[in-house]
Amino acid sequence: MAVPKRKVSPSRRNMRRAHDALISNVYVEDKDTGELKRPHHIDLKSGTYRGRQVLTPKED
């Protein structure tokens, strides 16, 4: 059974957890419409992804 040889100090424990914080969502401006959208996601208003029509546009 694996048993730690030394106690993990609070400083070392907290340094290990430094990458666990939540980051805010990133948005980029669409070149065609100028609206903010998530990168690598389909634009549901126009139905385009990487300049190609993937979905039929949503009717309002």
Side-chain angles (χ1 to χ4, degrees), residues 1-35:
M1 187 171 142
V3 178
K5 191 158 191 138
R6 300 259 186 265
K7 177 182 176 179
V8 177
S9 69
S11 174
R12 186 169 290 276
R13 177 196 65 207
N14 294 338
M15 282 191 278
R16 181 177 65 242
R17 294 179 182 172
H19 302 287
D20 293 345
L22 295 174
I23 59 168
S24 62
N25 292 334
V26 176
Y27 292 94
V28 295
E29 188 176 336
D30 191 20
K31 285 185 259 182
D32 301 327
T33 61
E35 293 187 25

Side-chain angles (χ1 to χ4, degrees), residues 29-44:
E29 188 176 336
D30 191 20
K31 285 185 259 182
D32 301 327
T33 61
E35 293 187 25
L36 295 177
K37 70 175 199 75
R38 298 283 311 271
H40 307 286
H41 283 69
I42 297 174
D43 184 19
L44 294 177

